[in-house]
Amino acid sequence: MALDCARQAAEAGEVPIGAVITRQGDVIAQGENRNRRDNDPTAHAEIVAMRAACALLGQDRLTDCDLWVTLEPCPMCAGAIAHARIARLYYGAADPKGGGVEHGARVFAHPQCHHRPEIFPGIGEESSARLLRDFFAIRR
């Protein structure tokens, strides 16, 4: 489902990243990159999905929710994941240049980070990476 969201983003000319939030196994929200369409630098797929999930649940914490995303979250999204208290983070492709989880800033490793989700990298990694490679190959 996150890959479908990423494909929708690509069709709209956005970087193909998609996210889904589940709660007790049920999908409660999804998001795709919307930076250009919304003229919003914070409209990353993860943020879009978290906003939708919080609105649906009527709360600012997603303590019993899991986030599935096609690319390793950036530092901004990792910070939002910590603030939302997401229980588990599943992501596809690693992002050595802009990641904030296992690369770059490693937000959850800092002592100032008060919540660390369980992290499961590499879920659908090849499909996620292929979407990104194909998207950028066309634009180069």
Side-chain angles (χ1 to χ4, degrees):
M1 193 175 269
L3 285 167
D4 288 339
C5 290
R7 287 184 195 98
Q8 291 171 10
E11 288 171 12
E14 301 277 1
V15 175
I17 300 170
V20 172
I21 295 181
T22 59
R23 183 179 187 205
Q24 299 172 344
D26 296 322
V27 174
I28 62 166
Q30 56 188 357
E32 61 190 59
N33 270 9
R34 299 192 53 87
N35 306 83
R36 293 185 176 173
R37 286 176 283 176
D38 293 355
N39 297 312
D40 181 355
T42 69
H44 290 196
E46 301 94 312
I47 302 292
V48 171
M50 284 188 282
R51 286 176 179 158
C54 287
L56 176 78
L57 298 174
Q59 58 192 39
D60 65 336
R61 299 277 169 95
L62 301 170
T63 54
D64 56 348
C65 295
D66 300 335
L67 173 61
W68 303 76
V69 63
T70 58
L71 182 67
E72 175 183 355
C74 73
M76 174 186 71
C77 291
I81 289 164
H83 284 287
R85 307 297 197 263
I86 294 282
R88 283 166 292 282
L89 167 63
Y90 301 87
Y91 71 84
D95 188 356
K97 290 182 181 178
V101 176
E102 293 187 322
H103 297 90
R106 299 178 193 233
V107 170
F108 303 129
H110 288 263
Q112 296 86 355
C113 183
H114 299 297
H115 173 78
R116 293 163 185 83
E118 290 182 66
I119 301 167
F120 301 90
I123 307 296
E125 181 174 11
E126 182 51 39
S127 298
S128 298
R130 187 177 328 104
L131 260 175
L132 288 160
R133 277 193 309 271
D134 292 350
F135 177 83
F136 286 111
I138 291 168
R139 278 145 184 81
R140 288 188 182 122

